[in-house]
């Protein structure tokens, strides 16, 4: 009988990282590893790091150090870094953080089991050597699908294994990636694509995630069917830029075709699309997002700012009035549509007039959720070379001002939903917090939640029709309609 090997996956960062962790979990379980929830109960703790901004990188380092502290006090024998920070810094991270027994990049994912076994056995696995992943695919999107066959793209590769543990894809669907769910939540993310062709001056993501490449619709459908079989009710489509989906497959409108097919998958109650670029929004996509049954009228729009001068310095497009017109178009088709966005304040050269223009946009946009970040240099980005940097205290003051404004505005937007009827996906039921879930305008973990006033007979995974009767900041309080009928579904 083979020796028992246990592994725990600790995931930081965005939903894309969560998908990658479940791919790693599937690969490891398929090769005989036992997955455990707590790092202290694992032989190897694998930390899936985030390398986006300084705060996220610090959280990743803290998680690695915390896992390292378990060595010698429990079962944990090794700590391994994977994910974006490991991919971005590789050997530099390994040298700076000797507490990590291994630093593995995306190229190591296919052989993750053997890499971990070598480390667990006391062997050495050379730290990942970073490279600009934008150079791995052809410049022309039309040439990328064939060229991408030999390139590591987490969440993309089909697996031909036939003998798999129960519950590990692709047993139930053609060409689904190897994947093991790490929780029983009724919502799961599915990768639509990887990488990004945009060259925003503040963003380093394309350098370590690579150029944009779409997954084939059959792969996305197969994975969604498998997730439905696992009890998932809501699927969230993720990538660095969903509005570009299909451009390397010869059809920039492919998302408009795919969404109704995903919504028709038996067992799926809601499809949500994240990460949309305002400059790439098109009428047909708005129509599908606002008019397709089971597709949430939800718009995660990456505005970042609204002052024209700042946007151009960011290598982005648009302005306050164009953005407001886009939102008016969306709400003319779906008045209850949810809209969220993130913004950077204190960008190099941002004037008081630019900041006032951003405030004008925020006051007129009626956003459901607002994320705000103070600008800081990211190494390797164009903006890091810019002159006219603002003093740190100016950035901090503007961040505080717009954060206060954002808090007020999202609370007002929540109050504006009083009396609305919402469809709530129940996500937790317990004696202390009651029944909690999310409406169509709320993505997981970022946009608030709905507390139901009654939950008799309801369970996790139910879709409940409810009337909004109160607010708690950005959160809603809603009264279920026809509770008895819902409970019997």
């Amino acid at each position: 009988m083979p020796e028992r090997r246990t592994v725990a996956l600790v995931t930081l960062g965005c939903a894309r990282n969560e998908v990658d962790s479940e791919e790693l979990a599937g690969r490891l379980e398929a090769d005989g590893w036992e997955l455990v929830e707590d790092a202290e109960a694992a032989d190897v703790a694998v930390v899936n790091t985030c390398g986006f901004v300084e705060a996220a990188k610090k959280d990743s380092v803290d998680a690695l150090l915390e896992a390292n502290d378990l060595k010698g006090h429990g079962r944990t024998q090794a700590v391994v870094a994977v994910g974006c920070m490991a991919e971005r810094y590789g050997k530099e991270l390994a040298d700076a953080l000797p507490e990590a027994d291994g630093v593995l990049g995306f190229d190591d994912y296919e052989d993750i089991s053997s890499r971990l076994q070598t480390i667990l056995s006391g062997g050495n696995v050379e730290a990942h050597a970073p490279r600009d992943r934008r150079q791995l695919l052809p410049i022309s999107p039309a040439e990328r699908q064939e060229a991408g066959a030999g390139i590591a793209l987490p969440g993309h590769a089909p697996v031909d294994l036939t003998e798999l543990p129960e519950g590990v894809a692709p047993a139930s669907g053609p060409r689904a990636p190897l994947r093991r769910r790490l929780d029983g939540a009724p919502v799961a993310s599915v990768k639509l694509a990887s990488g990004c062709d945009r060259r925003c001056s503040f963003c380093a993501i394309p350098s370590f995630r690579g150029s944009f490449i779409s997954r084939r619709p059959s792969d996305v459908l197969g994975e969604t069917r498998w997730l439905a079989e696992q009890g998932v009710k809501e699927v969230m489509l993720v990538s660095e830029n969903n509005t570009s989906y299909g451009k390397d497959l010869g059809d920039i409108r492919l998302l408009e075709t795919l969404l109704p097919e995903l919504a028709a998958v038996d067992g799926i109650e809601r499809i949500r699309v994240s990460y949309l670029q305002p400059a790439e929004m098109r009428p047909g996509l708005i129509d599908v997002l606002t008019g397709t049954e089971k597709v949430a009228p939800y718009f995660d729009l990456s505005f970042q700012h609204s002052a024209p001068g700042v946007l151009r310095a960011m290598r982005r497009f648009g302005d306050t009035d164009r953005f407001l017109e886009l939102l008016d178009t969306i709400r003319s088709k779906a008045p209850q549509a949810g809209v969220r966005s993130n913004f950077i304040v204190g960008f190099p050269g941002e004037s008081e007039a630019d900041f006032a223009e951003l405030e004008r946009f925020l006051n007129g946009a009626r956003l459901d959720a607002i994320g705000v970040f103070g600008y800081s240099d990211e190494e390797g980005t164009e903006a890091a070379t810019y002159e006219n940097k603002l003093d740190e205290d100016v950035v901090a003051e503007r961040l505080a001002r717009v954060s206060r404004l954002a808090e007020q505005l999202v609370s007002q937007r929540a109050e504006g939903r009083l009396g609305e009827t919402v469809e709530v996906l129940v996500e937790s039921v317990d004696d202390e917090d009651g029944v909690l879930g999310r409406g169509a305008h709320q993505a997981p973990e970022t946009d608030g939640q709905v507390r139901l006033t009654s939950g008799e007979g309801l369970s996790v995974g139910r879709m409940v029709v409810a009337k909004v009767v109160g607010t708690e900041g950005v959160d809603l309080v809603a009264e279920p309609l026809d509770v008895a009928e819902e409970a019997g579904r």
Side-chain angles (χ1 to χ4, degrees):
M1 185 174 181
E3 182 180 356
R4 180 172 178 255
R5 302 175 299 175
T6 57
V7 60
L9 286 137
V10 180
T11 306
L12 294 95
C14 65
R16 300 185 294 277
N17 258 16
E18 294 172 5
V19 176
D20 292 350
S21 285
E22 293 197 348
E23 178 193 334
L24 292 173
R27 290 185 179 278
L28 289 166
E29 190 171 48
D31 201 46
W33 290 77
E34 180 182 340
L35 301 171
V36 295
E37 185 174 344
D38 297 323
E40 61 185 357
D43 296 313
V44 182
V46 177
V47 180
N48 193 349
T49 61
C50 178
F52 181 37
V53 293
E54 285 303 319
K57 287 183 278 190
K58 182 181 183 303
D59 288 344
S60 295
V61 170
D62 289 345
L64 287 163
L65 293 174
E66 183 178 342
N68 181 71
D69 288 342
L70 298 173
K71 291 191 291 188
H73 301 285
R75 187 181 179 96
T76 308
Q77 301 175 52
V79 176
V80 175
V82 299
C84 290
M85 190 175 180
E87 175 66 36
R88 183 177 181 182
Y89 295 105
K91 190 175 187 304
E92 181 183 344
L93 176 62
D95 292 342
L97 198 71
E99 291 86 352
D101 300 286
V103 176
L104 307 180
F106 298 150
D107 294 333
D108 294 303
Y109 282 19
E110 185 174 349
D111 298 314
I112 187 68
S113 178
S114 63
R115 299 286 194 274
L116 296 191
Q117 184 58 59
T118 297
I119 293 170
L120 185 60
S121 301
N124 178 60
V125 174
E126 187 173 353
H128 165 67
R131 51 183 173 170
D132 188 338
R133 296 188 72 87
R134 292 172 293 190
Q135 299 177 9
L136 301 182
L137 290 169
I139 293 177
S140 170
E143 300 174 1
R144 290 178 188 167
Q145 288 292 321
E146 183 176 351
I151 296 173
L153 295 168
H156 283 237
V159 178
D160 297 326
L161 300 175
T162 55
E163 296 184 7
L164 295 172
E166 183 179 353
V168 177
S172 60
R175 302 191 69 209
L178 201 60
R179 179 173 180 174
R180 160 65 81 176
R181 297 219 65 208
L182 292 174
D183 60 39
V187 60
S189 296
V190 171
K191 274 198 177 180
L192 198 61
S194 288
C196 185
D197 288 341
R198 303 185 71 87
R199 293 296 179 262
C200 301
S201 63
F202 56 83
C203 183
I205 289 176
S207 66
F208 55 85
R209 278 289 184 179
S211 298
F212 185 90
I213 185 166
S214 305
R215 291 182 66 199
R216 293 190 176 275
S218 58
D219 295 353
V220 179
L221 276 165
E223 187 171 358
T224 299
R225 293 189 185 104
W226 176 76
L227 287 168
E229 293 170 4
Q230 305 302 305
V232 169
K233 299 300 181 183
E234 177 180 324
V235 163
M236 185 165 72
L237 300 178
V238 299
S239 76
E240 280 72 21
N241 178 11
N242 282 331
T243 31
S244 282
Y245 180 68
K247 71 176 186 180
D248 52 322
L249 294 171
D251 185 1
I252 190 60
R253 296 176 177 83
L254 193 55
L255 183 56
E256 287 94 305
T257 303
L258 178 60
L259 284 172
E261 295 183 59
L262 293 172
V265 171
D266 188 35
I268 296 297
E269 297 287 340
R270 180 185 290 158
I271 300 291
R272 183 184 305 277
V273 184
S274 62
Y275 306 115
L276 300 169
Q277 286 291 339
E280 296 181 31
M281 291 300 294
R282 47 196 179 268
L285 180 56
I286 294 174
D287 288 343
V288 172
L289 287 170
T290 57
T292 306
E293 186 179 3
K294 293 188 178 180
V295 173
Y298 175 79
F299 293 81
D300 177 8
L301 294 162
S302 178
F303 289 121
Q304 300 298 346
H305 212 282
S306 73
V310 175
L311 286 168
R312 302 306 174 268
M314 290 179 170
R315 303 295 184 201
R316 297 179 66 83
F317 305 94
D319 56 49
T320 295
D321 292 332
R322 291 183 189 179
F323 291 163
L324 291 176
E325 288 174 7
L326 173 60
L327 295 178
D328 286 344
T329 298
I330 290 168
R331 289 172 176 142
S332 71
K333 298 175 182 295
Q336 293 185 354
V339 186
R340 82 167 322 276
S341 191
N342 292 323
F343 299 89
I344 298 173
V345 298
F347 195 78
E350 181 192 63
S351 65
E352 275 291 348
D354 293 329
F355 185 75
E357 186 69 1
L358 175 59
E359 291 179 312
R360 181 171 81 88
F361 172 69
L362 291 173
N363 277 297
R366 295 190 297 127
L367 302 178
D368 292 276
I370 300 171
V372 187
F373 301 88
Y375 173 82
S376 62
D377 286 339
E378 272 296 307
E379 58 190 285
T381 64
E382 181 184 358
T385 69
Y386 285 178
E387 298 179 354
N388 300 320
K389 301 280 178 63
L390 276 63
D391 291 340
E392 289 185 5
D393 57 344
V394 174
V395 176
E397 189 272 334
R398 291 183 183 178
L399 176 61
R401 277 169 57 188
V402 80
S403 295
R404 289 193 298 270
L405 175 62
E407 185 176 353
Q408 295 170 4
L409 292 173
V410 296
S411 295
Q412 291 172 10
R413 177 60 177 150
E415 291 170 0
R417 291 190 178 276
L418 287 168
E420 287 186 359
T421 298
V422 292
E423 288 190 336
V424 180
L425 177 64
V426 176
E427 293 189 307
S428 67
V429 180
D430 62 49
D431 294 335
E432 183 176 347
D433 295 324
V435 181
L436 300 177
R438 290 176 297 103
H441 67 288
Q442 297 168 315
E445 300 181 4
T446 60
D447 303 340
Q449 59 189 2
V450 179
R451 178 171 60 83
L452 295 176
T453 59
S454 173
E456 183 180 356
L458 296 179
S459 59
V460 171
R462 297 286 189 188
M463 191 70 79
V464 181
V465 178
K467 180 179 180 180
V468 180
V469 296
T471 65
E472 298 170 349
V474 70
D475 299 329
L476 303 180
V477 180
E479 179 182 351
L481 304 176
D482 302 322
V483 172
E485 178 182 340
E486 291 290 340
R489 286 177 59 183

